[in-house]
């Protein structure tokens, strides 16, 4: 019976490409899963890619731009192409088949170009832990294990983190020996010793995805991959580890480097080392007939091992003029043809590679430019279903680079290596360019010993196991790309996932770009899930070759965290939903719910937007609410407005320095409107200020600006004026605030707080003037009343401890019932204030607006020597006549509500836009339909707006030009007569 004949074992059906024995999978535990609608069976310990390869499945997905078939290109996170979407038991998008462990009931599909987000909530639990150690070891390969053993035997606190499901690193995918026995037996002994050490934390399935300053590292542990993806009760699916280490040893291994050639993206094209891993770790032959294309010695191991496992190896194609003697003899012994001085110049196949096209290797390179295939011998066609490629190895320098370590180019290896020893981070093993097993082991132990000695710990020597002598290594070729004989580079894929080709790199250079950082952004090379693990250095080499320079002069892109993708849910951990972004509600929230309020999110606050009656849409409800506030009385829950308690002998001085107008002259019992500007003179917030005592003020801010303003005030106080004796505290949630608005508002206030109700408040204009406040009580509960109006109507703000907010609100509503008191929401509030020309900071401003632009020269003190932003008012740019001013707009047709954000252009008699680029005069900032005006109106920022009063402008709306008249911003009661009732 041949090795490729399907058989049945006690463990279940064996796939045609599964070896009869060998591998690290548990053949006694078959696992059924579904991929692309087809049921498959693998074994516990398989990845999705190894199980699919065992069944002969190579195509996994399609590419993002061109829709070309994409297959399995590697055996772990460096795979640039095998993206899948897990559908069951929980939706999980954009995962690599090479890193997904199969489990019973897994359902997955290949990604068709782009992934999609789950349409159901993720019910899994995620969490995080903190860990402090003397030594963090990243990677549990030979170097990492030797480092961890050295540290553990020295009594140090050690963390050993590795991304694979089991320790061993490169040894998992090989048949190496150590001390004359299988290397994995040494690995098992090392793991057992570490497990017994009390000061060691050893985590597999844990990827260190970022290193930062002062020995800080972030890692993500996949805690349920081996449990069928389901989290048992109390077990989180993934965990973020925040590790602080005195020293770090990084033993990250290396990524095999591909070679670029025409049609190198076909499924069945794979890194040579990956095929060896699938064979030795998973017991899977990646194909039945293989061609091996290499520029170095390492791929010969794959050719020999696959041949020994029953794979027909059609040829080893080596770009070098002579094959390494040792491996040439091994190939000859197995009847493997070796073709030197040659390269794969293309492939054939549809959904999978069916042949490799082999021709003489053209050493003229890309710099020679396009060439004609006329007169050249036709390439040899080698039929195969597996094409293995090796262009050398790139040390995984990502973490070293994240720690701001410099790199240098090693011309012999054709790779970038760490160029310096960082203070608290050492690199060992193949990550440092040591590809000999014995050297890796020695480096691991020596690096740990050095790190421990530097932090003052005694070092106990650990014997280094002995590895057999390796065959002599011959010099590799440095080949980035095999030029297409016809000069067509449009199907030579540098980044397989991004569909980015050599032609794209050529275009980038033709556009004048030279830096790999710029080329990366022009071509998108290295921006996919693999972050350029296989494409980044190759792209640098191609850039260098096209420019006729050396790779070291071109350099690399910046390696940034995360090293591998991390799910947002993992980073969020338990801080999800209301724990991530708390929902803040006022004391009257439940009352609003009972009244059917429609909600608006303002920052973290839930605010009623409007209260629809039966059959009302928003426009109808808002018109009704506005009419009530203008003709009778309305009530608003304004508790969300920011409130900052400013206390201390220098409280007035601090406010004088921050506001454009004087606050220190405000009398106790008075209220003043104020504006804050940034250092550039642009408005950042506004609100009212109540002077509560000689040394105490209550600062009111916008709802969304509360935290920002408090931070702004603290920053100036702590960093610029620490000598001021003043303290600040947020009291936003301590006070409920209810504006009672409209011509009958005085009747409501009198009915609740006046003498007729047993109170002491005289609500007349003479006794209670505009912009004043006074304290009173309601059945023993302290209440503060302030004559403040954000609507232009007669109005009071009722402030009370939030604990009594609902009771006071209900009293006000009951007292207003005879007058038809109407609760109104934020939409009505906006209409009322816009009719009066009161701006909303952040809506009617955009960070380029001064108080003068808003028509508020009066709020800028002429008496103060200085305040934040004052000097900027003198800048010539801030005094231009054509600055954008806040104005009103009235659509001429009297019916069109101008969309907010619409651009404003010059009025055109023929109603036709001028040719592009169309000069823009400004934009609409607020736009509503007014019950009082019985027509739509808008506020806008308009160039030279005040000088345009009475003129017409045009606003493009849905393909037509709407004429609008420019007016002043105050459209209701410009005289202010309504303010006092």
């Amino acid at each position: 019976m041949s090795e490729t004949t399907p058989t049945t074992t006690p463990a279940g059906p064996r796939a045609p490409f599964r070896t009869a024995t060998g591998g690290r999978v548990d053949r006694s535990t078959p696992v059924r899963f579904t991929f692309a609608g087809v049921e498959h069976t693998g074994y516990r310990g398989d990845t999705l890619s190894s199980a699919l390869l065992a069944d002969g499945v190579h195509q996994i997905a399609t590419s993002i731009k061109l829709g070309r078939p994409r297959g399995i290109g590697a055996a772990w996170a460096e795979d640039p192409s095998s993206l899948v979407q897990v559908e069951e038991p929980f939706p999980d998008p954009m995962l690599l088949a090479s890193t997904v462990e199969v489990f019973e009931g897994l359902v997955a599909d290949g990604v068709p170009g782009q992934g999609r987000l789950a349409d159901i909530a993720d019910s899994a639990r995620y969490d995080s832990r903190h860990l402090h150690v003397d030594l963090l070891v990243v990677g549990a390969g030979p170097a990492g294990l030797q480092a961890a053993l050295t540290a553990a035997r020295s009594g140090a606190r050690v963390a050993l983190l590795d991304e694979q499901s089991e320790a061993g690193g490169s040894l998992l995918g090989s048949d190496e020996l150590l001390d004359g026995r299988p290397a994995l037996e040494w690995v098992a002994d090392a793991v057992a010793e570490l497990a017994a050490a009390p000061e060691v934390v050893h985590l597999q399935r844990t990827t260190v995805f970022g290193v930062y300053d002062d020995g800080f590292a972030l890692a993500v542990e996949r805690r349920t991959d081996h449990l069928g993806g389901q989290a048992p009760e109390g077990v989180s699916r993934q965990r973020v580890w925040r590790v602080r280490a005195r020293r770090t040893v990084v033993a990250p291994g290396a990524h095999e480097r591909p070679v670029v050639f025409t049609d190198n993206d076909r499924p069945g094209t794979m890194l040579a080392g990956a095929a060896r891993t699938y064979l030795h770790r998973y017991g899977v032959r990646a194909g039945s007939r293989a061609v091996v294309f290499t520029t170095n010695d390492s791929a010969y191991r794959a050719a020999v091992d696959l041949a020994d496992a029953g794979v027909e190896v059609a040829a080893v194609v080596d770009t070098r003029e002579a094959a390494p003697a040792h491996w040439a003899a091994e190939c000859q012994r197995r009847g493997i043809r070796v073709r030197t001085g040659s390269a794969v110049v293309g492939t054939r196949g549809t959904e999978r590679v069916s042949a490799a096209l082999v021709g003489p290797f053209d050493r003229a390179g890309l710099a020679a430019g396009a060439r004609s295939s006329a007169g050249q011998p036709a390439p040899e066609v080698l039929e195969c279903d597996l094409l293995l490629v090796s262009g050398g190895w790139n040390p995984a320098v990502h973490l070293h680079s994240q720690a701001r370590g410099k790199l240098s180019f090693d011309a012999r290896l054709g790779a970038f290596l760490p160029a310096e020893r960082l203070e608290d981070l050492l690199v060992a093993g193949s990550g440092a360019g040591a590809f000999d097993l014995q050297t890796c082991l020695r480096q691991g132990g020596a690096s740990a010993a050095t790190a421990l000695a530097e932090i003052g710990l005694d070092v106990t020597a650990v014997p280094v196991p002995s590895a057999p002598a390796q065959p002599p290594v011959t010099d590799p070729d440095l080949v980035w790309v095999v030029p297409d004989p016809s000069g067509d580079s449009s199907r030579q894929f540098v980044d397989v996932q991004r569909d980015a080709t050599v032609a794209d790199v050529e275009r980038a250079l033709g556009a004048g770009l030279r830096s790999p950082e710029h080329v990366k952004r022009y071509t998108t090379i290295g921006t996919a899930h693999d972050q350029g693990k296989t494409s980044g250095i190759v792209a640098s080499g191609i850039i260098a070759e096209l420019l006729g320079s050396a790779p070291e002069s071109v350099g690399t892109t910046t390696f940034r965290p995360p090293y591998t993708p991390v799910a947002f849910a993992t980073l969020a951990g338990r801080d999800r939903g209301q724990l991530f972004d708390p929902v803040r509600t006022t004391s009257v929230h439940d009352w609003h719910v009972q009244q059917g309020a429609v909600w608006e999110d303002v920052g973290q606050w839930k605010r009623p937007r409007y209260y629809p009656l039966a059959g009302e849409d928003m426009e109808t409800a808002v018109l009704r609410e506005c009419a009530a506030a203008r003709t009778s009385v309305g009530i608003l829950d304004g508790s969300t407005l920011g409130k900052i308690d400013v206390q201390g002998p220098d409280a007035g001085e601090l406010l004088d320095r921050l506001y454009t107008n004087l606050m220190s002259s405000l009398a106790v019992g008075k209220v003043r409107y104020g504006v804050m500007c940034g250092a550039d003179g642009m408005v950042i917030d506004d609100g009212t200020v109540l002077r509560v005592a000689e040394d105490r003020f209550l600062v009111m801010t916008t709802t969304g600006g509360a935290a920002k303003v408090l931070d702004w005030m603290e920053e100036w106080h702590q960093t610029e004026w620490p000598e001021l004796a003043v303290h600040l505290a947020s009291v936003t949630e301590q006070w409920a605030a209810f504006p009672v608005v409209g011509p009958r508002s005085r009747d409501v206030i009198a009915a609740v707080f006046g003498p007729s109700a047993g109170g002491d408040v005289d609500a007349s204009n003479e006794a209670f003037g505009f912009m004043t406040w006074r304290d009173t009580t309601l059945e023993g509960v302290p209440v503060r009343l302030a004559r403040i109006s954000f609507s232009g109507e007669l109005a009071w703000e009722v402030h009370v401890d939030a604990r009594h907010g609902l009771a006071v609100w209900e009293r006000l509503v009951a007292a207003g019932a005879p007058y038809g008191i109407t609760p109104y929401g934020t939409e009505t509030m906006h209409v009322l204030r816009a009719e009066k020309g009161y701006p909303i900071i952040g809506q009617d401003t955009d960070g380029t607006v001064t108080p003068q632009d808003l028509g508020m020269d009066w709020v800028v003190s002429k008496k103060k020597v200085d305040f934040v932003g004052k000097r900027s008012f003198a800048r010539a740019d801030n005094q231009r006549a054509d600055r954008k001013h806040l104005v009103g707009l009235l659509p001429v047709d009297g019916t069109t509500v101008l969309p907010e954000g619409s651009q404003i252009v010059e009025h055109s008699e023929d109603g036709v836009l001028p040719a592009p680029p169309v000069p823009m005069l400004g934009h609409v900032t607020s736009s509503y339909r007014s019950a009082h005006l019985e027509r739509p109106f808008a506020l806008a920022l308009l160039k030279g707006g005040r000088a345009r009063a009475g003129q017409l402008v045009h606003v493009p709306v849905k393909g037509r030009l709407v004429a609008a008249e420019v007016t002043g911003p105050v459209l209701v009661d410009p005289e202010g007569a309504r303010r006092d009732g």
Side-chain angles (χ1 to χ4, degrees), residues 602 640 642 644 684-685 701-712 841:
V602 183
T640 64
I644 302 171
I684 60 173
D685 204 77
T701 76
T702 58
T703 295
K708 178 183 69 176
V709 171
L710 178 58
D711 179 71
W712 179 254
I841 306 305

Side-chain angles (χ1 to χ4, degrees), residues 183-519:
L184 291 178
E185 292 184 11
W186 173 80
V187 171
D189 290 345
V191 169
E193 181 177 338
L194 293 171
E199 295 293 339
V200 174
V201 174
H202 178 191
L203 300 173
Q204 293 297 140
R205 298 185 177 89
T206 304
T207 303
V208 176
F209 63 85
V211 295
Y212 305 87
D213 295 342
D214 300 322
F216 183 62
L218 286 174
V220 59
E221 179 189 6
R222 305 181 305 279
R223 306 190 72 220
T224 60
D225 284 12
H226 58 301
L227 301 174
Q230 297 291 336
E233 184 69 28
V235 176
S236 60
R237 181 184 295 167
Q238 294 188 1
R239 170 177 289 167
V240 171
W241 286 85
R242 296 177 172 90
V243 185
R244 184 75 67 177
R246 299 173 70 185
R247 289 291 186 275
T248 299
V249 171
V250 175
H255 303 304
E256 195 164 16
R257 185 171 61 239
V259 179
V260 177
F261 49 87
T262 300
D263 294 328
N264 60 318
D265 63 325
R266 285 199 166 99
T269 305
M270 182 185 296
L271 294 172
R276 193 164 180 252
T277 297
Y278 284 119
L279 177 65
H280 290 292
R281 184 172 180 182
Y282 302 106
V284 171
R285 296 179 295 268
S288 58
R289 179 179 169 85
V291 170
V292 180
F293 173 35
T294 186
T295 67
N296 65 95
D297 292 6
S298 66
Y300 283 86
R301 286 183 179 270
V304 168
D305 288 358
L306 288 174
D308 290 346
V311 176
E312 181 183 357
V313 181
V316 174
V317 180
D318 196 330
T319 59
R320 297 172 295 184
E321 296 301 327
H326 170 82
W327 292 112
E330 293 294 326
C331 287
Q332 184 179 15
R333 188 174 301 120
R334 292 165 177 80
I336 301 173
R337 175 190 172 199
V338 177
R339 177 168 170 172
T340 57
S342 301
V344 172
V345 298
T347 65
R348 289 180 181 172
T350 51
E351 296 181 353
R352 180 173 176 180
V353 64
S354 61
L357 308 181
V358 180
F361 178 51
D362 183 359
R363 294 189 176 275
L366 293 176
R371 53 189 57 78
S372 172
S373 58
Q376 297 184 13
E380 181 182 4
V381 179
L382 295 179
E383 293 184 357
C384 62
D385 61 1
L386 179 64
L387 174 56
L388 303 182
V389 182
S390 178
W393 294 80
N394 292 325
V397 296
H398 301 67
L399 299 182
H400 172 81
S401 296
Q402 289 176 16
R404 303 180 185 178
K406 295 180 180 178
L407 303 176
S408 63
F409 187 74
D410 186 308
R412 184 178 176 278
L413 289 177
F416 286 89
L417 303 176
E420 58 182 341
R421 155 70 203 284
L422 301 177
E423 180 180 356
D424 54 7
L425 185 145
L426 301 86
V427 184
S430 53
F435 292 99
D436 173 71
L437 177 56
Q438 194 72 61
T439 305
C440 286
L441 291 163
R442 288 173 181 157
Q443 277 194 3
S447 297
T450 299
L452 296 176
E454 289 176 350
I455 58 178
L457 298 179
D458 294 333
V459 179
T460 300
V462 177
V464 176
S466 176
Q470 301 294 316
V473 178
T474 56
D475 289 339
D477 243 354
L478 184 55
V479 179
W480 310 109
V481 61
V482 178
D484 185 274
S486 67
D488 180 9
S489 56
S490 64
R491 299 198 317 277
Q492 296 189 313
F493 291 89
V494 181
D495 191 320
V496 173
Q497 184 57 37
R498 288 299 193 203
D499 281 335
T501 64
V502 173
D504 294 320
V505 177
E506 291 169 338
R507 278 191 288 270
L509 299 182
L513 307 179
R514 295 294 183 270
S515 165
E517 293 282 10
H518 296 157
V519 173

